[in-house]
Amino acid sequence: MDSISQAALGSAVVLATLGRRTAAWKAALWGAAAGTLPDLDAFIDHGEPLLNMVRHRAESHSLFFLALASAPLGWLVARLQGERQLWRRWWLALALALLTHPLLDVLTVYGTQLLQPFTDHPYGVGSMFIIDPLYTLPLLVGVVAALRHPQGLRWNQAGLVLSTAYLGWSLLAQQHVRGILEEALRAQGLPANQVLVTPAPFSTVLWRAVAMGPEHYHEAYYSLIDGGAPVQWTQHPRGSALRAAHTAHPHVQRLERFSHGFMRVQASPEGRLQITDLRMGLEPCYSFHFDVGPAIPAEGAAAVEGDLPTQQWQRPDLRTGLAWWWQRLSDPSAGPLSRVPGVSSCGR
């Protein structure tokens, strides 16, 4: 989740745990710091952008390492605040602030390595978009109320309850939408080995699906207020032959594992091999699109060595994207973003 949401969650959790045992501003400040701390790994440079991508949310988001760090952190904060008698309570509060960070992150689709160092598997439920005001606003209102009013701690608790209930709602909505979209795939006879269902930006009303077939992937959108409108799927080549030709390429292997197979392989007109994580973005504009070196023909020998990857950001015009998003929330005839004039060049 975004930094504002994580800081607000950390503040709310520490305020709820410490109550009136310390000044509300102290609890909110240290909670925001603890809620932000795991994401500082984004400033670590691992040498190239693809590795930076797959190493984000790794050890810094491990439940094991964060639990270990919580005791000395709680002791240090209690000492700095002159509240040594409360160090166990600070320990509990900061442990909750640290541990809720990766647990919230795992509800996004990115991939969080919760169980480091025992496994580097990237877990991602995908029921929440990284920025969702409906989740964040109750937390912010509760924290601000706790800072400004003597009875504000109840507002803070209410904010935590509402935001947590919203997370539960996202899981239920995701399963509901998944059932509808999988039935649409069967009804239309579209082959799919894997199906991803995740929110489109900023809410849990509009959802995006990616269905991976043997030669193509299909993308569709479904809004909870679409009613009985038929699901419209668009078809795109996934580059299966090119992927097979580069089966031993380390960068291709790395992204395939991290994306759980939701990736595209293609050759640019200049003969460069390009790989794309299909989970994060909207066709044809994707956040994680990489050039990883020269491509070889599908019938050639497998390439192992390549250049260092370079990331090529693909973002639609913000005004065009927001206008499409607002229309598609309630109008199934709006079609996919890839058919909006001027957007098709984004990912090509």
Side-chain angles (χ1 to χ4, degrees), residues 15-207:
L15 279 164
T17 306
L18 283 167
R20 295 184 176 85
R21 296 175 179 86
T22 190
W25 68 268
K26 294 181 183 180
L29 181 63
W30 284 109
T36 304
L37 187 62
D39 276 343
L40 295 183
D41 71 330
F43 294 101
I44 300 174
D45 186 1
H46 295 280
E48 47 95 346
L50 179 55
L51 199 56
N52 288 341
M53 174 192 178
V54 302
R55 294 301 299 157
H56 178 46
R57 296 192 188 177
E59 287 85 359
S60 69
H61 286 60
S62 161
L63 297 177
F64 177 74
F65 289 133
L66 291 175
L68 288 180
S70 63
L73 183 61
W75 178 87
L76 177 61
V77 170
R79 184 181 178 87
L80 290 174
Q81 296 300 143
E83 299 172 345
R84 297 186 185 185
Q85 74 282 4
L86 292 177
W87 84 267
R88 289 183 178 84
R89 180 61 62 163
W90 274 109
W91 174 12
L92 174 62
L94 294 175
L96 292 174
L98 290 171
L99 294 173
T100 52
H101 179 117
L103 292 176
L104 178 59
D105 273 348
V106 81
L107 293 179
T108 68
V109 77
Y110 183 91
T112 305
Q113 298 175 40
L114 287 177
L115 301 183
Q116 282 276 7
F118 310 106
T119 174
D120 60 358
H121 181 81
Y123 296 92
V125 175
S127 67
M128 290 288 293
F129 188 68
I130 57 171
I131 301 173
D132 192 326
L134 290 179
Y135 173 77
T136 309
L137 284 175
L139 293 172
L140 290 174
V141 170
V143 169
V144 170
L147 292 173
R148 299 189 63 177
H149 303 288
Q151 302 301 318
L153 288 175
R154 294 184 178 179
W155 284 81
N156 181 66
Q157 293 168 356
L160 276 170
V161 170
L162 286 174
S163 62
T164 304
Y166 184 73
L167 298 180
W169 150 256
S170 76
L171 293 168
L172 294 174
Q174 182 188 40
Q175 293 307 308
H176 171 70
V177 173
R178 177 181 291 276
I180 292 173
L181 293 172
E182 288 180 344
E183 177 59 33
L185 283 170
R186 289 190 292 268
Q188 297 179 36
L190 298 176
N193 303 321
Q194 297 172 281
V195 179
L196 174 74
V197 177
T198 192
F202 311 131
S203 79
T204 54
V205 176
L206 180 62
W207 294 76

Side-chain angles (χ1 to χ4, degrees), residues 208-226:
R208 172 179 180 257
V210 178
M212 304 298 293
E215 301 294 332
H216 299 85
Y217 63 93
H218 298 82
E219 183 190 55
Y221 297 91
Y222 180 81
S223 174
L224 294 177
I225 51 180
D226 273 356

